[in-house]
Amino acid sequence: MFSFSEENYLKAIFHLEKKYQAGVSTNALAEEMETKASSVTDMIKKLSEKELVVYKKYQGVKLSELGKKTAIQVVRKHRLWEYFLVEKLDFNWDEVHDIAEQLEHIKSEKLTRELDKFLGFPKRDPHGDPIPDAEGNFSVANKMLLAELDKDEKGICVGVKDSSSEFLRFLDKNNISLGKEIKVLEKEAFDGSMLIVIEERELRISQLISNNLYIKTQ
Amino acid sequence: MFSFSEENYLKAIFHLEKKYQAGVSTNALAEEMETKASSVTDMIKKLSEKELVVYKKYQGVKLSELGKKTAIQVVRKHRLWEYFLVEKLDFNWDEVHDIAEQLEHIKSEKLTRELDKFLGFPKRDPHGDPIPDAEGNFSVANKMLLAELDKDEKGICVGVKDSSSEFLRFLDKNNISLGKEIKVLEKEAFDGSMLIVIEERELRISQLISNNLYIKTQ
DNA sequence: AAATAAATTTAGACAAGACTAAAAATATTG
DNA sequence: CAATATTTTTAGTCTTGTCTAAATTTATTT
Ligand SMILES: [Mn+2]
Ligand SMILES: [Mn+2]
Ligand SMILES: [Mn+2]
Ligand SMILES: [Mn+2]
């Protein structure tokens, strides 16, 4: 089917399209892929040749229907494997991303379907991100950033924006995990820091933290 | 660590060394890898450079200690994943090899260890082959080929030599599976075919079959 | 022990995917 | 709007792993 590299580009474009609806720029893609702009141009041409993306020179790139479908299948596999690692193999949520980056490229529709079934058709991965079903459908939750809450408002923690080990371990250390309720006690206008309460404990967090935690309000 | 291709060559050499103790020839390796002899020579040089094999021009190749250790880890992963697919995801034993060929290259020691634990440290894969433990140790069972049995002798089916889908489906169709007892009722000297009895049913099998079924005698 | 056959290696080429440096196109600014 | 800055593309190179064709070495026959 498609190479690992092609799949990784498609996935990156898929994620960046949320932010750049008008088309994903070569530089944005180069940064996401941790490669050089010239390499991106080369690959975009190949993807365009294969009708996985729509590309006009200097105008950025968009996924075609086929490209989008392919990207979603890769994301589906990534998130199913992350769920598997956490729920079945006792991995912590900060340890699974790199392994899922490898597993997401395993080619077998039956494997993906059977894994999904084995896991009980989970709807969200360990970081709160939606897992597309076999048809590629998934629901985008109406979540918001904790930073958007005002004093005395509260919400349930439902996901992370940054899913780096560093951030996830910080959350672990402070006993913040998905499903818990967070209430804003104070909000400092000057630096955006907050005093929150989570499970009866008070905690002061910087804006960098509240900007990377998704919550859902009732 | 090592590339997929390098790992595949090491695994192929590992398997061929059983048959060619004096050194695996370039042609034998080319056939096993389904590639050309010149490509094999190229790769052998690279592996030799990395001290994974011992190579003298025109003299065939052998695994170094490091090469052997690496090959065994790949085999361990291959067989653990095959076991996982059959035992947890309800795959049939004839469907797992190609997927395991992909999964065996996933790089994460922790994943392999945790998978092993999750599976209950299985000793044999679905085809009866031994699964090396984390240290690379595994027991070679004292099995023999069904073809070696004489009239009126019996044994327990413990493995397959050929693990192609075609052969495995043939066994399924004839209700032959690992763990079952087979008794030889007749043995035809002319063509090596046998009349066997397995679970009260009589069955005539060609020598090609009996030459690819491992059994253990009491 | 030549002569021939078979196995193996070398030489040169190619595709994928990356890189650097330079050129070209687009955006921004005075 | 011309000058400058930024972005993007092109040109040329490199590495990995493969291939074909030719050369070389080893094995087998007469
Ligand atoms: Mn991830
Ligand atoms: Mn995730
Ligand atoms: Mn197998
Ligand atoms: Mn097997």
Side-chain angles (χ1 to χ4, degrees):
Chain A
M1 214 50 182
F2 303 113
S3 72
F4 283 25
S5 194
E6 287 169 333
E7 289 188 346
N8 284 333
Y9 272 92
L10 293 176
K11 189 168 55 120
I13 298 168
F14 176 74
H15 289 314
L16 288 170
E17 272 186 347
K18 289 163 208 154
K19 195 172 163 189
Y20 304 98
Q21 295 96 333
V24 177
S25 72
T26 302
N27 268 358
L29 200 40
E31 186 177 11
E32 176 81 10
M33 293 294 297
E34 296 182 70
T35 185
K36 297 301 159 90
S38 56
S39 306
V40 170
T41 303
D42 285 348
M43 180 54 92
I44 286 175
K45 283 180 186 167
K46 287 170 201 158
L47 296 176
S48 181
E49 203 61 46
K50 297 186 180 185
E51 312 224 289
L52 289 161
V53 300
V54 178
Y55 168 59
K56 280 203 308 235
K57 267 190 197 175
Y58 297 100
Q59 304 304 297
V61 74
K62 291 181 191 186
L63 292 178
S64 69
E65 271 314 302
L66 175 61
K68 187 177 173 188
K69 197 185 132 213
T70 308
I72 288 175
Q73 284 308 309
V74 177
V75 169
R76 166 167 156 81
K77 287 187 276 181
H78 183 102
R79 293 178 180 166
L80 280 174
W81 282 115
E82 284 192 343
Y83 187 94
F84 168 75
L85 293 172
V86 167
E87 296 299 324
K88 300 292 182 178
L89 300 196
D90 295 324
F91 276 77
N92 200 350
W93 66 341
D94 73 296
E95 304 174 301
V96 298
H97 181 77
D98 290 351
I99 304 178
E101 284 292 309
Q102 301 179 62
L103 288 163
E104 73 189 3
H105 301 294
I106 302 293
K107 277 147 190 83
S108 165
E109 273 202 32
K110 176 164 184 179
L111 171 59
T112 310
R113 278 200 324 273
E114 294 293 328
L115 179 65
D116 198 8
K117 190 203 291 180
F118 176 65
L119 299 175
F121 304 105
K123 290 273 168 294
R124 315 220 147 248
D125 85 358
H127 313 105
D129 293 311
I131 301 178
D133 68 17
E135 280 69 48
N137 303 116
F138 60 95
S139 56
V140 271
N142 61 329
K143 63 197 177 190
M144 57 193 288
L145 288 171
L146 174 57
E148 297 172 54
L149 281 194
D150 287 322
K151 181 174 177 341
D152 294 328
E153 292 184 321
K154 57 190 180 187
I156 307 248
C157 188
V158 294
V160 292
K161 189 171 168 193
D162 173 6
S163 55
S164 67
S165 278
E166 293 70 33
F167 183 53
L168 298 178
R169 278 201 294 259
F170 169 87
L171 297 180
D172 283 344
K173 204 165 56 192
N174 290 286
N175 263 285
I176 300 173
S177 59
L178 304 195
K180 289 187 180 170
E181 187 179 79
I182 293 177
K183 183 175 175 187
V184 180
L185 294 182
E186 294 172 14
K187 196 172 176 183
E188 181 60 60
F190 181 65
D191 66 354
S193 71
M194 286 179 165
L195 183 64
I196 62 171
V197 60
I198 179 166
E199 283 188 328
E200 265 103 78
R201 292 178 330 279
E202 288 186 15
L203 179 68
R204 181 161 292 280
I205 58 173
S206 70
Q207 191 164 35
L208 185 59
I209 305 302
S210 60
N211 254 325
N212 280 294
L213 254 186
Y214 288 120
I215 53 144
K216 199 163 76 178
T217 56
Q218 285 69 358
Chain B
M1 214 51 183
F2 303 112
S3 72
F4 284 25
S5 194
E6 288 169 332
E7 290 188 345
N8 284 333
Y9 272 93
L10 293 176
K11 189 169 55 117
I13 298 167
F14 176 73
H15 289 315
L16 289 171
E17 272 186 346
K18 289 162 208 155
K19 196 171 161 189
Y20 304 97
Q21 295 96 333
V24 176
S25 72
T26 302
N27 267 359
L29 201 39
E31 186 177 10
E32 176 81 10
M33 294 293 300
E34 295 181 70
T35 185
K36 297 301 159 91
S38 56
S39 307
V40 170
T41 304
D42 286 347
M43 180 55 90
I44 286 175
K45 284 180 186 167
K46 287 169 200 159
L47 296 176
S48 181
E49 203 60 46
K50 297 186 179 183
E51 311 223 292
L52 289 162
V53 300
V54 179
Y55 169 59
K56 279 202 309 236
K57 266 190 197 173
Y58 297 100
Q59 303 305 298
V61 73
K62 292 181 191 187
L63 292 178
S64 69
E65 272 313 302
L66 174 60
K68 187 176 173 188
K69 197 184 133 213
T70 307
I72 288 175
Q73 284 307 310
V74 177
V75 169
R76 165 166 155 83
K77 288 187 276 180
H78 183 101
R79 293 178 180 167
L80 280 174
W81 282 115
E82 284 191 343
Y83 187 94
F84 169 75
L85 293 172
V86 167
E87 297 299 324
K88 299 292 183 178
L89 300 196
D90 295 322
F91 276 76
N92 200 350
W93 66 341
D94 73 297
E95 303 174 302
V96 297
H97 181 77
D98 291 349
I99 304 178
E101 284 292 308
Q102 301 179 60
L103 287 163
E104 71 189 4
H105 301 294
I106 303 293
K107 276 145 189 85
S108 165
E109 272 203 32
K110 177 163 183 178
L111 171 58
T112 310
R113 277 201 323 273
E114 292 294 329
L115 179 65
D116 198 9
K117 190 203 292 179
F118 176 64
L119 299 176
F121 303 106
K123 290 274 168 293
R124 315 222 147 247
D125 85 356
H127 314 105
D129 293 311
I131 301 178
D133 68 17
E135 280 69 47
N137 302 115
F138 60 95
S139 55
V140 271
N142 61 328
K143 63 197 177 190
M144 57 194 288
L145 289 171
L146 174 56
E148 297 173 53
L149 282 194
D150 286 322
K151 182 174 180 337
D152 294 327
E153 293 184 322
K154 56 190 181 185
I156 306 242
C157 188
V158 295
V160 292
K161 187 170 169 196
D162 173 5
S163 57
S164 68
S165 279
E166 293 70 33
F167 182 53
L168 299 178
R169 278 201 294 261
F170 168 87
L171 296 180
D172 284 343
K173 205 165 55 190
N174 290 287
N175 263 287
I176 300 172
S177 60
L178 304 195
K180 289 187 183 170
E181 188 179 79
I182 294 178
K183 183 174 175 188
V184 180
L185 295 183
E186 295 172 14
K187 196 173 176 184
E188 181 59 61
F190 180 65
D191 66 354
S193 70
M194 286 178 165
L195 183 64
I196 62 171
V197 60
I198 178 166
E199 282 186 330
E200 266 102 79
R201 291 180 329 281
E202 289 185 15
L203 180 67
R204 180 160 293 279
I205 58 173
S206 70
Q207 190 164 35
L208 185 59
I209 305 302
S210 60
N211 254 326
N212 279 294
L213 254 186
Y214 287 120
I215 53 144
K216 199 162 76 178
T217 56
Q218 283 69 357

